[in-house]
Amino acid sequence: MKKVKELVNKYSYHIEYNPEENIYIARCAELPDLMAHGNTQEKALKEIKIAVLGALKWIKKEKECLPEPLCLHKFSGQLRIRMSPEKHKKIAIESLLQGTSMNQFIINKL
């Protein structure tokens, strides 16, 4: 069970304020279906970590694979995308007009 508890602190968390409800909402990138909230950022983070720990215990009990923390994942720096031929042509033309590669054009847009 120690491995599961150690994973909780390696996951990626995002906290945002919801002004309509006057609360902070926390999410875990590796388990996007989970959500928790609190009156402070600290409380929201504490609550989402409790939810993540519960989810990980359940996943392990079901003998499913635990999600890999993003911080442990090796990224190649390459991203393949599919698009319509029309969109591809438009990007090719725009990048040529700007005197740059399509790759650099797309990176600049991001």
Side-chain angles (χ1 to χ4, degrees):
M1 196 58 68
K2 186 176 181 181
K3 182 181 179 189
V4 171
K5 288 182 181 180
E6 290 173 1
L7 279 178
V8 171
N9 289 322
K10 292 185 173 140
Y11 285 127
S12 304
Y13 297 98
H14 176 77
I15 302 169
E16 61 186 46
Y17 181 69
N18 180 329
E20 295 171 6
E21 297 184 33
N22 193 30
I23 59 171
Y24 291 90
I25 299 172
R27 292 185 169 93
C28 176
E30 292 85 350
L31 296 164
D33 292 336
L34 294 182
M35 184 186 310
H37 69 276
N39 293 331
T40 65
Q41 290 179 344
E42 294 79 11
K43 180 68 175 166
L45 181 59
K46 181 180 177 183
E47 293 298 322
I48 191 63
K49 286 184 175 185
I50 291 169
V52 166
L53 180 58
L56 293 178
K57 287 178 180 178
W58 181 81
I59 292 168
K60 190 169 185 176
K61 180 183 171 192
E62 295 295 314
K63 299 186 182 343
E64 298 289 329
C65 292
L66 297 173
E68 178 185 33
L70 288 173
C71 68
L72 300 178
H73 184 79
K74 303 291 186 227
F75 291 92
S76 68
Q78 297 180 6
L79 175 66
R80 293 180 179 251
I81 60 171
R82 290 188 174 92
M83 66 183 81
S84 69
E86 295 80 20
K87 175 73 84 178
H88 192 173
K89 180 179 178 182
K90 182 179 178 185
I91 291 172
I93 292 169
E94 288 184 37
S95 65
L96 281 171
L97 290 172
Q98 291 187 17
T100 186
S101 68
M102 283 194 293
N103 187 63
Q104 193 59 51
F105 177 79
I106 292 169
I107 289 171
N108 291 340
K109 290 292 183 179
L110 296 174

